Amino acid sequence: MASKNLLHLSAAAVLLLSVIAAAAAAASYCQPGMAIPHDPLRGCRQYVRRRACGLAAGAGGRLYDWAVKERCCRELAAVPADCRCAALAYFMDGGLAASSGALEGRLLEDVPGCPRETQRELAAMLTTPGECNLETVHGGPYCLSLTDREMPKY
């Protein structure tokens, strides 16, 4: 009887260790240079600024340019679904460079008339149905970890 309980306990421990190992592998997989390009979502920078802040410079005065949105959505769709939220987080906030300790990769910066936080709010929604409508690691089109506030309506 005791050996049977020990066998069940051992099987549960093995299962728990495999889940932890899979999570660790997925975390390292969703990094720039692996499943995420080194410079992810560069095409989304212009779209986010125009859409979130109404900046139309370089668009011939048009605030909404379908080609710019399409490019952004294509870049995001090229990232595996389980890494899209990580790619958006890197796009918004960058990551720490091992050598310098400085943030690298962040494409969203404060510009006159368009604070970075306003851009972040839209960038966090790029996977949603109103934007690119793409699946994420959460099994739906939302990156739950990117904002702790209610999603704004654009």
Side-chain angles (χ1 to χ4, degrees), residues 43-57 59 62-66 68-69 72-73 108 113-115 118-123 125-126 128-132 152-154:
C44 293
R45 180 184 206 173
Q46 186 179 20
Y47 173 68
V48 167
R49 283 192 182 161
R50 285 185 192 174
R51 181 97 161 85
C53 301
L55 300 179
R62 292 176 291 164
L63 289 177
Y64 198 82
D65 187 336
W66 288 102
V68 174
K69 179 180 180 178
C72 175
C73 291
L108 301 181
C114 192
T118 301
Q119 297 172 60
R120 281 185 96 261
E121 289 173 357
L122 177 65
M125 295 176 45
L126 286 176
T128 64
E131 295 298 331
C132 298
K153 307 288 184 267
Y154 285 94

Side-chain angles (χ1 to χ4, degrees), residues 1-14:
M1 183 78 148
S3 64
K4 191 174 186 178
N5 287 340
L6 186 59
L7 182 62
H8 288 296
L9 185 59
S10 296
V14 167

Side-chain angles (χ1 to χ4, degrees), residues 6-89:
L6 186 59
L7 182 62
H8 288 296
L9 185 59
S10 296
V14 167
L15 179 62
L16 180 61
L17 286 174
S18 63
V19 167
I20 291 170
S28 63
Y29 167 73
C30 292
Q31 293 191 19
M34 296 192 74
I36 299 172
H38 278 290
D39 197 8
L41 312 177
R42 184 161 283 288
C44 293
R45 180 184 206 173
Q46 186 179 20
Y47 173 68
V48 167
R49 283 192 182 161
R50 285 185 192 174
R51 181 97 161 85
C53 301
L55 300 179
R62 292 176 291 164
L63 289 177
Y64 198 82
D65 187 336
W66 288 102
V68 174
K69 179 180 180 178
E70 180 62 28
R71 177 180 173 199
C72 175
C73 291
R74 267 195 325 270
E75 288 179 7
L76 190 53
V79 175
D82 56 331
C83 296
R84 287 184 183 132
C85 294
L88 285 172

